[in-house]
Amino acid sequence: MSKAYEMKRPAYDAVARTLHWLTVLLVAMQFVIGWTMPDVHKDTQPVNLIAWRLGAGATLVAVMTIRVIWRMTHWPTPDELRPLLSVVSRITHVLLYTALVLVPLLGWINASSRGWTVRLLGVVPYPELSEPGSAFGHEMGDVHSILTWVLFTLIGLHVVPALFHRFVLKDDVLQRMLPRAKPSRDQV
Ligand code: HEM
């Protein structure tokens, strides 16, 4: 193939890219549902929007489990950022992964303490992670709410630079997470 038609390969494989955008969809759903659902009280039943929240949260736990395993066994090609930026980017990714595992897990613990069963896609039941009415489950619910805002901040610190690279610097960083990269400048 001549160099002019050679496409720069994305840094992340198809599974990693699918898991990334599936995570984005599920997290976006969680924020929208979280902001629109009714307040939760002692006798609230897990129906309607709350049922959707539990179903999406359970799916997020499953997706993140697969994602962490995939990431530890399939490394992306290294980025071409300056060393300091590359370290900052990697630290942000590690913090994002940590928040993405902890936030739904703590939500699940809190749901168990309310006597709610968390089900994958609303069908397959997950085990209970705390005793109904337990103080531990209640406290983990508080930590869950705080970490949600930490996750929201981390997403901002991740998305704004990604869009800055795409629309201001016009480099190939965003292409690393898209199906097929456009030819790099020296290839056209
Ligand atoms: C418009 C929204 C988003 C864009 C454009 C975007 C873009 C990207 C890009 C380009 C990368 C690869 C960076 C690199 O390796 O140089 C990446 C990685 C990553 N993104 Fe996003 N992202 C978005 C939203 C999100 C959201 C909402 C989350 C989390 C909720 C997220 C979590 C991650 C994580 C954890 C990685 C690291 C992947 C890894 O190294 O395994 N992203 N994203």
Side-chain angles (χ1 to χ4, degrees), residues 90-153:
R90 262 179 276 161
I91 291 173
T92 313
H93 290 168
V94 171
L95 292 175
L96 271 170
Y97 270 107
T98 309
L100 285 167
V101 169
L102 284 180
V103 168
L105 194 64
L106 296 177
W108 175 7
I109 294 173
N110 180 256
S112 298
S113 75
R114 293 178 183 280
W116 297 349
T117 303
V118 174
R119 295 170 200 275
L120 179 63
L121 302 174
V123 181
V124 185
Y126 283 5
E128 308 299 319
L129 292 189
S130 64
E131 295 291 320
S134 76
F136 170 69
H138 182 76
E139 283 155 17
M140 290 307 105
D142 292 342
V143 182
H144 167 82
S145 303
I146 296 165
L147 275 187
T148 303
W149 287 104
V150 174
L151 175 61
F152 189 73
T153 308

Side-chain angles (χ1 to χ4, degrees), residues 12-29 60 63 67 158-159 162-163 173-179:
Y12 292 87
D13 60 42
V15 175
R17 294 194 311 268
T18 305
L19 291 169
H20 176 272
W21 294 111
L22 194 55
T23 309
V24 173
L25 182 72
L26 289 168
V27 170
M29 265 180 78
L60 190 56
V63 167
R67 193 168 174 192
H158 171 71
V159 172
L163 298 179
V173 167
L174 183 60
Q175 308 300 132
R176 289 167 57 76
M177 208 34 112
L178 295 179

